[in-house]
Amino acid sequence: MVKNQQQFTPTKDKRIKAPKNPTRESKEPLSSTKKKAVKKPLAKSKDKQVVQEVVAKKKVQSVQPKVGKAARKKKAVKVIFLGGVGEIGKNMTALEYGNDIVVIDAGLTFPNMEEMPGIDSVVPDVTYLAQNKDKIKGILITHGHEDHIGGLAYLLKEINPGTPVYGTKLTLMLIDNKLQEHHLQGVNLKVVVPGNRVKCGAFETEFINVNHSISGACALAIRTPVGLVYHSGDFKIDLTPVAGEPIDLQRISQLGEEGVLLYMGESTNIERAGYTMSETVVGTTLDHLFAENTSRRMIIATFASNVHRLQQIIDMAAKYRRKVALSGRSMLNVVDAAVKIGELTIPEGVLIDIDKTKNLFDGELLIISTGSQGEPMSALTRMSMGEYNKVTVGENDTVIISATPIPGNEKMVYRVINNLYKKGAHVVYESLEKIHVSGHACQEEHKILHTLLKPKFFIPVHGEYRHLKKHAELAERLGIPSHRILITEIGNCVELTEKEITLVENVPAGARLIDGEGFADGTSEVLKDRIRLSNEGLFSVAIATTGGYIINDPVVEARGYLFAENKCTLPELKEVVKKAVDSIRYYNGDKEELIVCIKKALRNYLYKKAKQSPLIVVSVVEV
């Protein structure tokens, strides 16, 4: 059910109504003789005894409703953390009450290539939700960033296809693009605006307008059977946003007066003192950079999803009479979606195809590109390496990186900057200019939220452990007792009642690694093998057999292995394999025994001679 919105028709409440008097059957009327006996004067001791029995019976009956209330005592709401705690990204939380579950966000994170070689992205393990898919009444999306929507398609493949997904217009447009990439049709997407309320089983959620680095960001005020739960989403307090309304502090204050049982607050910028700068600061910086580079070609890399930033950049290009070309698939998708719903306005004649940029003078052109995080396949990264055939970076280019490196991406970002400098470009980034402002609240803004909400219990979310710890300490300084604050990990399940908050038994959780169309869990042997391959290299051994007999010398090859001088040569290793083969009676045809024997002999020899442990693959082929 969605309130305050015409395009959604409220459904009737079909809950079974309880009888008006649950103890009526136990209250049988007294017989007429007993009624007369009660009205008789208390003349005889026998009459007194009858009256005492009747009074005693009434007393027993009168306490029965209290027993009924105890039997109907409210259950606890479970808060289940499937991602976004103890880490940056892949945010996902679930609330469960009886047979009802609502899911908050379904994000992904990008892998550390040193720890996850070849992996494209990482999403939450949704085993628990798949096991309880019939309980899921709705998915609530706070905003359209990858760390909040990137895992949604993988979740929808494992739960009931009709499960409604609620989000603001831009959020759902970005989601729809992803669903098309995954060939998911007929997903039940429901548009909301701030102020709308949606009913999902036992949970009623109100969407609250907040400021962030993307349009349509919302916090969630979730009314549960045990009390109000407030989930901040990602937010900052920007009283002078370049578009849209400021954060709805008035409504947040009203919720605080109503009484917030649990506050789950994002923690990304909790280590930073003061306030986050307004997005208008970026506009001032852009203005003077455009003015100083009138004869140079400009390339600006930013988050494709930061529509407000894109609007400022396009407006500045129009002011300085530059044509704008877009580079990168996600940039094209986001701009197309934002224009369709009116979130982004591009003056007529400003936008051109990137294939036509070679016909323009440098001072007439601006290229807006993806790659602000140094992603290996992004447009800016390929430009910096000279591998992008549409744009060749040179000495008359000014490259502006309008973003801050996400923790873990610093090396990739600075590698791109170094490569751009080597090509002669002038590079502008956050260390040099106020070219980026965060979308996340700093300490003083968090203090304001805590003061307005006045929560009874608090759980910090959206951050590594150090962020969660710092946020918990801030909450304690603001008056929340330490026993009412929990720092959680992925897989933790918390039971919430009106009076207490308790960690209970964990649920199945973790990470799923996405590589193209394939995926595996975070403990996959495939990933372990890739790490060993990248660290130590590979030895492959091929043995040919027929009729239970070995018919040829083994073939030994090495890949990615660094040979020590005068140690472990291929002829030596071939002899090691031969001795291993001769040591067993293979005429029994036991391939597994032969493989184990060869691996053991090679592993021991390589470690003894060169202190190395490469991956060893043995193939026994019947010919």
Side-chain angles (χ1 to χ4, degrees):
M1 180 176 69
V2 180
K3 297 181 180 178
N4 305 329
Q5 193 172 8
Q6 294 180 357
Q7 60 262 47
F8 297 103
T9 305
T11 56
K12 294 181 180 180
D13 191 347
K14 297 182 180 179
R15 287 175 291 186
I16 298 172
K17 295 183 179 180
K20 293 182 179 180
N21 189 347
T23 58
R24 185 174 180 181
E25 292 181 2
S26 63
K27 293 186 176 181
E28 297 177 358
L30 298 175
S31 66
S32 58
T33 55
K34 288 181 179 178
K35 287 180 181 178
K36 292 177 182 177
V38 172
K39 293 178 181 179
K40 285 181 180 180
L42 305 179
K44 299 180 181 180
S45 59
K46 187 176 180 180
D47 292 335
K48 288 183 180 181
Q49 185 178 356
V50 171
V51 171
Q52 289 171 354
E53 289 176 358
V54 172
V55 172
K57 186 175 182 180
K58 284 188 175 183
K59 286 182 178 179
V60 171
Q61 291 173 339
S62 66
V63 300
Q64 285 183 2
K66 294 183 179 180
V67 174
K69 286 182 181 179
R72 295 195 303 275
K73 184 180 178 182
K74 291 179 182 176
K75 304 173 187 175
V77 167
K78 292 180 180 179
V79 186
I80 301 164
F81 295 93
L82 300 173
V85 288
E87 63 181 358
I88 299 290
K90 70 180 181 70
N91 301 291
M92 181 182 280
T93 306
L95 301 184
E96 180 176 352
Y97 183 82
N99 290 320
D100 298 328
I101 292 177
V102 290
V103 181
I104 302 171
D105 290 330
L108 59 70
T109 189
F110 294 104
N112 180 329
M113 298 309 294
E114 295 177 358
E115 298 177 358
M116 301 178 183
I119 300 301
D120 296 330
S121 57
V122 185
V123 299
D125 182 345
V126 296
T127 299
Y128 182 81
L129 296 179
Q131 291 171 347
N132 294 275
K133 61 183 180 181
D134 292 334
K135 292 184 177 183
I136 301 175
K137 300 302 188 292
I139 301 171
L140 313 170
I141 306 296
T142 59
H143 63 282
H145 278 153
E146 287 288 328
D147 56 333
H148 294 258
I149 67 171
L152 181 60
Y154 300 97
L155 171 63
L156 290 172
K157 290 176 183 179
E158 298 198 43
I159 64 173
N160 295 332
T163 303
V165 179
Y166 297 94
T168 54
K169 192 176 289 186
L170 178 62
T171 300
L172 295 188
M173 285 288 286
L174 297 175
I175 287 172
D176 189 53
N177 286 340
K178 292 193 167 295
L179 298 180
Q180 290 180 34
E181 292 177 8
H182 286 263
H183 309 292
L184 288 172
Q185 302 294 329
V187 176
N188 190 8
L189 301 179
K190 293 188 175 293
V191 178
V192 296
V193 297
N196 282 169
R197 295 187 182 188
V198 299
K199 190 86 164 73
C200 301
F203 304 98
E204 184 180 69
T205 302
E206 180 181 352
F207 286 76
I208 310 296
N209 181 66
V210 298
N211 303 126
H212 188 42
S213 55
I214 187 172
S215 301
C218 290
L220 306 174
I222 306 172
R223 289 169 176 81
T224 78
V226 299
L228 179 62
V229 174
Y230 185 91
H231 191 291
S232 71
D234 286 350
F235 80 99
K236 68 176 181 179
I237 297 177
D238 190 345
L239 301 179
T240 57
V242 295
E245 296 296 322
I247 182 173
D248 195 348
L249 294 177
Q250 181 180 2
R251 183 60 185 142
I252 292 170
S253 176
Q254 291 171 350
L255 293 170
E257 293 302 319
E258 178 183 326
V260 174
L261 182 63
L262 171 65
Y263 173 35
M264 289 186 280
E266 73 121 317
S267 312
T268 308
N269 270 358
I270 195 65
E271 294 175 321
R272 297 187 183 184
Y275 298 86
T276 304
M277 290 187 296
S278 171
E279 182 67 26
T280 54
V281 173
V282 176
T284 303
T285 304
L286 284 171
D287 200 350
H288 88 76
L289 287 174
F290 271 82
E292 292 171 2
N293 291 274
T294 53
S295 63
R296 298 170 65 86
R297 183 172 66 173
M298 296 182 70
I299 302 170
I300 300 181
T302 188
F303 291 110
S305 59
N306 194 338
V307 176
H308 295 157
R309 184 79 46 83
L310 293 177
Q311 186 69 71
Q312 288 197 91
I313 294 169
I314 290 168
D315 289 346
M316 206 61 63
K319 175 181 176 181
Y320 285 89
R321 300 180 183 278
R322 287 181 183 256
K323 300 293 185 181
V324 176
L326 304 177
S327 178
R329 186 182 62 170
S330 61
M331 186 67 69
L332 291 166
N333 288 341
V334 170
V335 168
D336 182 58
V339 169
K340 283 181 179 177
I341 64 174
E343 288 284 352
L344 184 64
T345 303
I346 302 177
E348 187 175 353
V350 170
L351 200 64
I352 64 169
D353 190 282
I354 196 165
D355 290 326
K356 298 180 180 178
T357 57
K358 293 178 182 179
N359 300 326
L360 297 174
F361 292 110
D362 288 346
E364 298 176 328
L365 178 62
L366 166 68
I367 298 171
I368 305 177
S369 172
T370 57
S372 62
Q373 295 302 304
E375 302 96 318
M377 297 306 296
S378 66
L380 185 66
T381 300
R382 286 185 286 154
M383 289 180 205
S384 73
M385 299 174 68
E387 297 177 354
Y388 192 55
N389 59 359
K390 299 181 185 297
V391 179
T392 302
V393 175
E395 294 183 355
N396 202 42
D397 287 326
T398 296
V399 182
I400 300 169
I401 300 178
S402 183
T404 299
I406 295 170
N409 289 356
E410 294 89 350
K411 286 184 179 180
M412 293 190 294
V413 172
Y414 292 125
R415 185 184 300 124
V416 169
I417 292 172
N418 288 330
N419 288 338
L420 290 169
Y421 272 126
K422 288 177 183 178
K423 292 195 171 294
H426 175 54
V427 188
V428 178
Y429 46 101
E430 191 186 26
S431 301
L432 307 178
E433 293 275 4
K434 294 178 180 177
I435 196 58
H436 176 69
V437 297
S438 176
H440 300 274
C442 292
Q443 288 178 8
E444 297 304 313
E445 293 155 277
H446 282 296
K447 290 177 183 177
I448 291 172
L449 257 288
H450 277 273
T451 303
L452 293 178
L453 291 170
K454 301 183 286 289
K456 185 173 185 177
F457 302 109
F458 175 61
I459 299 177
V461 295
H462 299 183
E464 297 175 3
Y465 188 86
R466 60 193 171 96
H467 301 113
L468 308 184
K469 181 66 174 176
K470 285 288 183 183
H471 203 169
E473 290 173 352
L474 182 142
E476 192 171 352
R477 290 197 302 273
L478 292 172
I480 303 178
S482 59
H483 67 274
R484 293 184 179 177
I485 301 171
L486 281 182
I487 296 179
T488 56
E489 298 177 351
I490 294 172
N492 281 171
C493 179
V494 173
E495 283 195 348
L496 176 69
T497 68
E498 295 173 353
K499 295 183 178 180
E500 60 183 1
I501 187 169
T502 312
L503 274 171
V504 294
E505 186 176 356
N506 288 357
V507 304
R512 288 184 177 177
L513 313 177
I514 309 300
D515 184 3
E517 296 292 329
F519 71 89
D521 63 54
T523 59
S524 169
E525 289 297 322
V526 172
L527 188 60
K528 293 178 182 179
D529 286 347
R530 286 187 179 185
I531 293 171
R532 288 183 64 191
L533 281 167
S534 64
N535 291 334
E536 302 285 353
L538 166 72
F539 272 96
S540 66
V541 180
I543 303 286
T545 68
T546 185
Y549 293 93
I550 296 171
I551 62 173
N552 208 345
D553 286 346
V555 177
V556 181
E557 294 183 344
R559 291 289 184 270
Y561 178 79
L562 187 62
F563 284 93
E565 189 177 358
N566 299 323
K567 294 180 179 179
C568 300
T569 63
L570 280 177
E572 287 179 9
L573 295 171
K574 192 172 182 179
E575 289 301 318
V576 171
V577 174
K578 282 184 178 181
K579 289 179 180 179
V581 171
D582 293 341
S583 70
I584 66 171
R585 298 177 179 179
Y586 183 69
Y587 55 78
N588 292 325
D590 190 339
K591 289 184 180 181
E592 291 302 318
E593 183 183 0
L594 179 61
I595 291 170
V596 170
C597 183
I598 292 172
K599 282 187 175 182
K600 183 178 180 181
L602 268 182
R603 188 182 300 114
N604 291 342
Y605 187 83
L606 288 166
Y607 189 79
K608 182 179 179 181
K609 285 283 187 176
K611 299 295 185 288
Q612 293 172 322
S613 301
L615 184 66
I616 299 170
V617 177
V618 180
S619 302
V620 179
V621 182
E622 184 77 21
V623 295

